[in-house]
Amino acid sequence: TMVVTESQDKMYYPPDDLKRDAHVPDFNSYLALYRKSLENPEAFWKEVADDFFWKKPATGPMLQYNFDVTIGNIYVKCMEGAKTNMCYNVLDRLVRERNLGEKVAYYWEGNSPDHHMAITYSQLLSQVCRCANVLKKMGVKKGDRVSIYLPMIPELVYTMLACARIGAVHSIVFAGFSSESLCERIMDAQSSVLVTADGVYRGEKLINLKQIADEALEKSNIMTDFMSGICSLFWCVQTPWDSECDVWWEEVMRDSPEECEPEWLDAEDPLFILYTSGSTGKPKGVLHTVAGYLLYTSLTFKYVFDHHHDDVYWCTADIGWITGHSYITYGPLANGATSVLFEGIPVHPHVGRFWEIIEKYKVTKFYTAPTAIRLLMKYGREPLQKYDLSSLRILGTVGEPINPEAWQWYHEAVGKGRCPVVDTFWQTETGGHVLTPLPAATPLKPGSATFPFFGVEPTILNEHGEELEGEAEGYLVFRRPWPGIMRTVYRNHERFENSYFKKFPGFYVTGDGCRRDKDGYYWITGRTDDMLNVSGHLMSTAEVEAALTEHPAVAEAAVVSRPHKVKGECLYCFVSLKDSREFTHTLVEELKRLGKIMRRILRQIARNEKDLGDLSTLADPKVVEELFSQRCEAA
Ligand code: WTA
């Protein structure tokens, strides 16, 4: 069904110079490899695994699974019986076997343009080993969880790889999260160590991470130990300190040995937990395992960015999100890539910062989010014209649907019409790209994530779970696993099964709506559940509602999404107060509830859509009129 035919949509074809030495140089090669990956996954993934180091070979098949809850428990296993180590594969293997020790792994670029450094693969390896020894000395053992609350500094990469080296499970918490969010994640993971920094500047704003971390620990009750990292820069922050449990990063690293034997793990041992919003409000600890995640992130990185040895690759995401885990740390390192690691924000100290960095490091592959593109679009083309962007060859986007206008701007103003835009659809749960173009092979349609990656078999279902062929719109699901798919929700396998496999037995349910056009292209249409996507960050309405109702004045809260020019979607909150409280904009006070809030109606009010249909189930339909009349235009 995936034939590219004559189409009404404007198509963008891969440039010839990219095709010349591409890994997948045309659409037929993509199709042939794709068919192989589905017809003979065993051979396909074995070949991928051959590039890596296995202390012990697998005894089981490349993939085993059950996706059908009516048959039994859901499970996915990759390369059962094999023993390996992620850190060994992304560092030692390259330094020892590929002689890449002197190659730059990261160009670190600070929030301030005056702060920067280059880190080679062998330097990275020795820092990681030292950190691994520090963790071991603190009593961290295989299987223990380590929470990491660090900004985008090299220490973040050192710590995560140190965990991977000793078999500890890292749980990174984005350093923009509150103490409540951090506390909740530390408690759920039952971490024994927390690695943080004293503080960080994001743009002009100072964030006192250590203080927030202390607040989080006060709220939690399970910490036995606490390690405080400090970035080697010199922010003059008054750092709260408890010498009973806090230690300075630099002090413990200084004396720590540079040799550390990797812990040989089972292929299905956990690598990390990363929390993602769940539609019930409580975040889900998405668990990824060693071998499958290694195979999948390395392969997607290689093909989707058509990686070559002399590339300089830059992904602007934060490592606190899955995009950073897969495409700043593991995927690029597994390929021996040189990446930019950027601490700052796109508009500091000026709105041309991204373009300045691309020129400075001669970035060839650039990966960012639609929300960043839309933000930078606002400043026009002038900031771009000051910089030489001719090194760019491939552009990528991730995190949310990209509107055609932003796509065109990215393609024309940033890529000068020369660089394919790979619109990569995936999730924390999928571990890596699942729908994506390949830059030298796939004709592009702006706004479409195009076709499935190798090993991925998407289909579209209607409300009754019936598969829709040809042109269709419905629920996006996957019929079988690929190596990098999540294995469970940490300590809650039942929630894993309920969230992703209950609705349509036999399928992994993404939670996204999707349309397949007559040429077989997939178009993500947005979430089908009570989740929303603000600036590429997924959140649940329930989570926000829970936060609002924690305020003593609030009786009830209902939150819906509403389109936003830059952020994609934004929150529109309806709040009702407790009896004795006064509220100047008495918005939702009189809203009577009948069992549940009619979210559909609220959403329509937020979007000012007047045709509301049947309101008979509302206890007091007059309320709707009132809400419309008091509707405010948000920025
Ligand atoms: C959305 C981010 C359209 C989608 C990697 C998905 C996208 C959620 C795209 C996952 C894209 C991500 N086009 N929508 N290219 N990429 N999404 O877990 O709704 O933070 O389910 O992972 O983002 O967000 P998450």
Side-chain angles (χ1 to χ4, degrees), residues 172-245:
I172 300 180
V173 180
F174 171 58
F177 275 161
S178 65
S179 62
E180 287 82 12
S181 302
L182 175 59
C183 171
E184 189 174 19
R185 286 158 176 76
I186 290 170
M187 297 223 287
D188 188 81
Q190 300 182 317
S191 299
S192 56
V193 167
L194 172 65
V195 183
T196 188
D198 53 354
V200 67
Y201 276 99
R202 200 164 281 134
E204 305 272 304
K205 196 173 152 213
L206 173 66
I207 303 169
N208 288 312
L209 293 172
K210 174 62 164 65
Q211 196 182 316
I212 300 169
D214 282 356
E215 285 162 24
L217 293 185
E218 259 163 47
K219 288 177 189 133
S220 80
N221 48 16
I222 55 156
M223 298 298 289
T224 54
D225 215 337
F226 174 64
M227 172 192 182
S228 174
I230 177 177
C231 49
S232 43
L233 300 169
F234 32 84
W235 321 126
C236 299
V237 186
Q238 279 244 321
T239 307
W241 205 252
D242 175 356
S243 50
E244 289 273 294
C245 55

Side-chain angles (χ1 to χ4, degrees), residues 322-323 398-401 423-428 512 524 527 533 538:
I322 191 67
T323 304
V398 56
E400 56 188 309
D423 177 353
T424 61
F425 167 83
W426 58 297
Q427 308 176 301
T428 305
D512 283 294
I524 301 297
R527 301 292 305 183
N533 195 322
L538 208 58

Side-chain angles (χ1 to χ4, degrees), residues 349-395:
H350 56 79
V351 300
R353 188 75 195 278
F354 271 11
W355 325 127
E356 184 180 60
I357 294 174
I358 290 173
E359 177 186 274
K360 178 174 176 185
Y361 296 107
K362 300 194 168 51
V363 171
T364 56
K365 315 280 165 82
F366 179 65
Y367 192 28
T368 194
T371 188
I373 297 165
R374 289 192 297 263
L375 172 76
L376 294 169
M377 262 173 87
K378 289 203 304 191
Y379 303 102
R381 297 193 182 206
E382 198 209 347
L384 284 152
Q385 280 150 8
K386 295 186 195 143
Y387 303 99
D388 177 8
L389 304 183
S390 62
S391 57
L392 287 174
R393 289 171 61 90
I394 293 169
L395 303 173

